[in-house]
């Protein structure tokens, strides 16, 4: 007998998953919990574990924006649960804006020895601004803000690996301006995102002005959306604004909303200021044990299979954060997780506690991403989650990697699981074998900015596994040379 699903959501459903409404899927409802900056404390983690049990879902998933996603939910949260989540900072005070994309920041903010500036206070200010400005509901759910402090773990396009790039509609990236005989001044350079590209501007923003500049950017953006309603009912996005206006017109409109001039990389004499750009971020260097900028403390980075955490794994990580750290967990946009503030003398005692719960630093697991696939997504041609786990186990038995190889397993050509181009893409399809239609994959090797422009083979998963193994070996050899 089909299981009945209770529906009692507070807000009308949106195409993008949220918390205050359920996005229907074939396996139940999909819920997404925003965690601005990717921060999660022990109390929040314990509550989420309780909710997983109450909602009949067994697995939590870290998304590619540092959110938490729960699938196969069979009953909607009660009003009391919503209020508890709000009180703990896991839900917006205004349910209508909760579906907006997460504020993305480096998971190592404030503990990174390389960073130019700690972005955590700015993330908190921006989240508070969003929470208290209901006019933001006029924007598309895709509206997003990214903040990069110049550390080892970069947000935006600072990574030498294109598949690590994460795009936001408004991007603030720290930059240092060299002053003769004085300490460099730290600014944020403004970039604007659309169609998986970042358009860098010459605008520099003092940290103390970031909030007011973002508020002006949002004000002009909202005005554009209201003046350009879409006949399809979908709200225009930043990519539409930039296509219609261009970056310069948008910036000029923003300037009229400010009471002070914006700094530029090019000064009044048309001279390019000497900038000290942050070092490139180091791909997946956050996995394992790393010293923090606070003396005597380190953080631990763990890979997760497809970003998934069981209830037991989540509770174990929470307990570890309480026993060895500072009651904090950090979620990354690469579907990994960090435990900060571990005293160096406790590391040897901590590590043996991870293995029984299937938590590790596997470079294979770190590089594989997969969409929901069948049966959760009606658009998918294949069971991507199951197949990605099979692929990961196959490669771990046969490979020792010196760097992760990014493999994107996708059930259709929308490429939902990863916004940036992959090194290897498995595109789900239906193939004919022995007169029958069966699930299979087209295999692509990423070239440039496109993930689907160089197909190398097609076949059932079991038949293409050896080829994928060989490609991984070749990619690692290229990296070493």
């Amino acid at each position: 007998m089909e299981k009945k699903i209770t529906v009692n959501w507070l807000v009308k459903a949106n195409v993008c998953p949220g918390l205050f409404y359920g996005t229907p899927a074939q396996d139940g409802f999909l819920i997404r919990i925003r965690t601005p900056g990717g921060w999660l404390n022990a109390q929040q983690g314990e509550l989420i574990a309780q909710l997983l049990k109450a909602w009949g879902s067994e697995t939590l998933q870290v998304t590619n924006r540092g959110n938490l996603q729960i699938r196969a939910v069979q009953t909607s949260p009660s009003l009391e649960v919503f209020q508890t989540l709000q009180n703990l900072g896991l839900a917006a005070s205004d349910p209508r804006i909760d579906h907006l994309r997460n504020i993305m920041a480096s998971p190592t903010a404030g503990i990174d020895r390389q960073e130019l500036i700690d972005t955590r206070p700015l993330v908190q200010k921006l989240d508070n601004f969003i929470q208290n400005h209901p006019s933001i509901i006029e924007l598309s759910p895709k509206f997003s803000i990214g903040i990069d402090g110049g550390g080892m773990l970069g947000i935006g396009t600072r990574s030498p690996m294109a598949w690590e790039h994460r795009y936001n509609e408004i991007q603030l990236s720290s930059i240092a301006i060299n002053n003769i005989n004085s300490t460099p001044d730290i600014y944020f350079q403004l970039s604007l995102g659309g169609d998986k590209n970042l358009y860098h501007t010459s605008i520099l923003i003092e940290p103390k002005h970031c909030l007011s500049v973002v508020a002006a950017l949002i004000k002009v953006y909202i005005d554009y959306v209201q003046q350009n309603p879409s006949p399809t009912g979908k709200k225009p996005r930043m990519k539409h604004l930039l296509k219609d206006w261009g970056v310069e017109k948008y910036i000029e409109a923003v300037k009229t909303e400010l009471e002070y001039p914006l700094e530029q990389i090019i000064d009044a004499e048309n001279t390019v200021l000497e900038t000290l750009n942050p070092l490139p971020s180091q791909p997946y260097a956050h996995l394992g044990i790393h010293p923090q900028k606070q003396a005597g403390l380190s953080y631990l980075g763990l890979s997760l299979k497809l970003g998934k955490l069981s209830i037991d794994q989540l509770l174990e990580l929470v307990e570890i954060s309480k026993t060895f750290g500072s009651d904090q967990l950090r979620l990354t946009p690469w579907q990994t997780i960090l435990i900060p503030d571990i005293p160096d003398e406790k590391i040897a005692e901590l590590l043996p506690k991870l293995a029984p719960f299937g938590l590790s630093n596997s470079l294979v697991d770190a590089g594989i991403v997969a969409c929901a696939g069948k049966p959760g997504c009606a658009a998918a041609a294949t069971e991507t989650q199951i197949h990605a786990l099979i692929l990961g186990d196959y490669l771990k038995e046969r490979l020792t990697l010196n760097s992760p190889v990014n493999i994107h397993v996708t059930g259709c050509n929308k490429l939902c699981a990863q916004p940036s181009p992959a090194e290897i893409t498995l595109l789900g399809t239906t193939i004919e074998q022995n007169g029958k239609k069966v699930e299979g994959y087209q295999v692509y090797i990423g070239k440039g900015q496109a993930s689907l422009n160089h197909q190398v083979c097609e076949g059932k998963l079991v038949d293409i596994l050896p080829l994928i193994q060989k490609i991984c070996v070749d990619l690692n050899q290229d990296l070493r040379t």
Side-chain angles (χ1 to χ4, degrees), residues 96 118 121 146 243 298 320 332 334 356 358 384 389 411 422 433 438 442:
R96 296 173 299 168
D118 181 357
K243 182 178 180 180
S298 294
I320 287 173
T332 85
W334 302 279
T384 54
L389 292 174
Q433 194 170 79
V438 296
Q442 297 170 351

Side-chain angles (χ1 to χ4, degrees), residues 112-407:
D112 197 309
R113 296 195 300 174
Q114 179 182 301
E115 70 183 2
L116 297 175
I117 185 171
D118 181 357
T119 61
R120 290 176 297 175
L122 179 55
V123 171
Q124 292 173 329
K125 289 178 182 178
L126 288 171
D127 185 56
N128 184 65
F129 172 82
I130 291 172
Q131 299 266 9
N132 290 283
H133 284 76
S135 62
I136 290 179
I137 64 173
E138 296 292 332
L139 297 180
S140 162
K142 306 294 186 183
F143 169 71
S144 59
I145 299 175
I147 308 170
D148 180 64
M152 282 178 57
L153 208 56
I155 301 299
T157 59
R158 219 162 28 89
S159 170
M161 302 293 190
W163 51 270
E164 272 208 328
H165 296 171
R166 291 296 180 263
Y167 307 99
N168 292 280
E169 292 195 326
I170 296 174
Q171 171 79 25
L172 304 177
S173 300
S174 62
I175 192 170
I177 302 297
N178 199 20
N179 288 319
I180 299 176
N181 300 323
S182 67
T183 303
D185 295 325
I186 305 300
Y187 291 84
F188 284 97
Q189 183 178 1
L190 172 65
S191 301
L192 302 168
D195 276 341
K196 300 179 182 178
N197 285 300
L198 279 179
Y199 302 94
H200 303 295
T201 76
S202 63
I203 298 299
L204 298 178
I205 308 169
E206 292 184 61
K208 66 180 181 180
H209 289 153
C210 282
L211 182 60
S212 57
V213 173
V214 171
L217 286 161
I218 291 173
K219 166 73 167 53
V220 175
Y221 189 1
I222 291 173
D223 290 345
Y224 172 84
V225 170
Q226 292 175 333
Q227 294 165 14
N228 296 273
S230 170
T232 64
K234 291 184 178 181
K235 296 177 180 179
R237 295 175 57 183
M238 180 67 76
K239 64 181 180 180
H240 301 115
L241 186 159
L242 296 179
K243 182 178 180 180
D244 288 352
W245 285 8
V247 172
E248 289 187 11
K249 180 178 178 179
Y250 183 28
I251 296 300
E252 289 303 314
V254 169
K255 288 179 179 179
T256 64
E257 301 290 333
L258 299 172
E259 297 178 352
Y260 50 84
L262 289 174
E263 302 276 355
Q264 296 191 58
I265 293 176
I266 300 176
D267 64 18
E269 281 82 34
N270 205 35
T271 301
V272 178
L273 301 179
E274 183 179 355
T275 62
L276 303 175
N277 292 312
L279 298 171
S281 59
Q282 300 176 30
Y284 278 96
H286 61 289
L287 296 178
I289 300 291
H290 297 276
Q292 298 181 187
K293 66 181 182 183
Q294 294 85 3
L297 296 178
S298 294
Y299 68 87
L300 168 64
L302 296 168
S303 59
L304 303 172
K305 291 183 179 181
L306 306 183
K308 291 183 177 181
L309 282 169
S310 68
I311 295 173
D312 288 343
Q313 287 174 326
L314 174 59
L315 289 174
E316 178 62 16
L317 286 173
V318 167
E319 187 59 32
I320 287 173
S321 76
K322 293 164 66 175
T323 304
F324 297 93
S326 55
D327 293 4
Q328 300 291 320
L329 298 174
R330 299 195 180 189
L331 315 174
T332 85
W334 302 279
Q335 297 184 287
T336 54
I337 197 162
L338 309 184
I339 304 175
D341 305 324
I342 303 170
D344 292 341
E345 64 271 16
K346 290 188 176 183
I347 290 173
E349 181 185 352
L350 160 62
L351 294 179
K353 296 184 178 295
L354 300 172
F357 290 89
L359 299 166
S360 70
N361 297 323
S362 166
L363 294 181
V364 171
D365 288 337
I368 299 177
V369 297
C371 65
K374 294 168 61 176
C377 177
T382 53
E383 296 178 296
T384 54
Q385 294 278 311
I386 294 175
H387 294 160
L389 292 174
I390 293 172
L391 171 63
D393 290 341
Y394 178 92
L395 294 178
K396 280 186 288 188
E397 289 178 0
R398 295 163 174 81
L399 289 180
T400 300
L401 299 177
N402 60 339
S403 178
V405 174
N406 179 222
I407 305 174

Side-chain angles (χ1 to χ4, degrees), residues 446-459:
K447 299 287 184 181
Q449 290 299 307
S451 289
L452 301 177
N453 66 347
H454 186 61
Q455 183 177 343
V456 293
C457 76
E458 177 181 272

